[in-house]
Each structure stands twice: as C-alpha cells, then as structure tokens.
Amino acid sequence: MTQNIQLSAVTKGKAWEDRRQLLKQFQCVWEPLLRIVPPADLPEDSLGCDWLFNVVFTHDDFIQKLNKKWRGKDKPTNVLSFPAWDKTQDPDQTAPTWFWGDIVLSHEVCLREALTQGIIFEHHVLHLFIHGVLHL
C-alpha cells in the first residue's frame, strides 16, 4: 500500500494567494480522499511507493495558454491534468516516490462556475481536484 501522499501546491496569481487558508484546509482533506479514491489504473510499480501530486492554482490567462498548447482549445478551462507516471528513488527516503503528475486549476473559471451553479467555491474546487486526479 502507499506509504505517504504528498501534495506540492504552487499558486500563480493574487486570487489564490488571498485564499492561502483555504489551501491549507484542502491539504487536510486531499490525502484521505486520495486514499479512498485513488487513480483507477494503478501501475504495479506505484504500490508501496510514496505518491506525489503537483497542484498549480492559477488564473485564466495561464490555463488558457496550456489549454491551447495541449488541447488545441483557445479558451480557459477549470482544470487540466498532465500525467507523468514517473518513479524516482531519493537515497534519503525509505520508499521510492511515484510522481502522478500535475493538476492545474483556474481561479476565475472555478469561481464563475460555482456562482453560476449556486455551489460553494471550496467544494467546487475540491470536486475539480478529484476530477483532475482521476484523469491522471
């Protein structure tokens, strides 16, 4: 079974920086969720490894560039997933690390969708994060 689940979070843009407390709260929720809803097709190499996910909290302009480059769609989107599926071994760690990949979330799209749908912003972002994990 997985030893440890690590989330590396990067914020790009002031909107996410204003929500630092939200990001800390999510880190407490993400690990248990990933333990019960792991990515579907677990490679055998990933079992017994620590897991690492990168999460980039960004803005419309940045995610639009990624969406255009990688999906050919010249518009912002709520979440993008970039699978890596890479196993590395740090000599200082007891278990190897399985790097799943990057999940990128746009603040403006997430906020617009939450307001339009009448749902809580934080719940919507968590839902999209899990959606992104499942695409890895």
Side-chain angles (χ1 to χ4, degrees):
M1 190 60 192
T2 300
Q3 306 292 323
N4 188 22
I5 298 175
Q6 303 168 35
L7 289 164
S8 171
V10 176
T11 58
K12 291 181 175 280
K14 183 157 175 30
W16 286 113
E17 290 175 11
D18 291 343
R19 295 183 182 268
R20 284 202 184 276
Q21 188 58 37
L22 165 68
L23 303 181
K24 287 179 185 177
Q25 291 171 355
F26 276 14
Q27 287 178 327
C28 295
V29 173
W30 289 340
E31 183 172 342
L33 281 172
L34 288 172
R35 288 192 185 282
I36 58 174
V37 186
D41 298 320
L42 293 175
E44 211 170 296
D45 284 357
S46 75
L47 302 176
C49 292
D50 289 347
W51 288 0
L52 173 63
F53 296 83
N54 283 340
V55 186
V56 180
F57 298 96
T58 190
H59 48 81
D60 278 2
D61 292 341
F62 184 75
I63 207 164
Q64 181 170 346
K65 289 175 186 171
L66 292 175
N67 204 22
K68 183 177 181 182
K69 179 176 181 177
W70 296 104
R71 298 179 65 224
K73 297 183 179 192
D74 193 11
K75 63 181 184 175
T77 188
N78 50 19
V79 62
L80 291 172
S81 297
F82 297 96
W85 288 38
D86 185 33
K87 183 177 178 180
T88 60
Q89 178 71 52
D90 183 337
D92 296 332
Q93 292 179 318
T94 56
T97 298
W98 185 264
F99 175 52
W100 285 98
D102 300 311
I103 299 166
V104 185
L105 293 150
S106 172
H107 185 275
E108 292 94 336
V109 175
C110 293
L111 183 59
R112 281 193 302 270
E113 290 175 348
L115 291 172
T116 301
Q117 297 170 29
I119 56 180
I120 298 169
F121 172 79
E122 293 82 356
H123 294 180
H124 188 49
V125 172
L126 185 57
H127 164 85
L128 291 170
F129 169 77
I130 294 168
H131 178 89
V133 168
L134 293 174
H135 277 283
L136 296 176

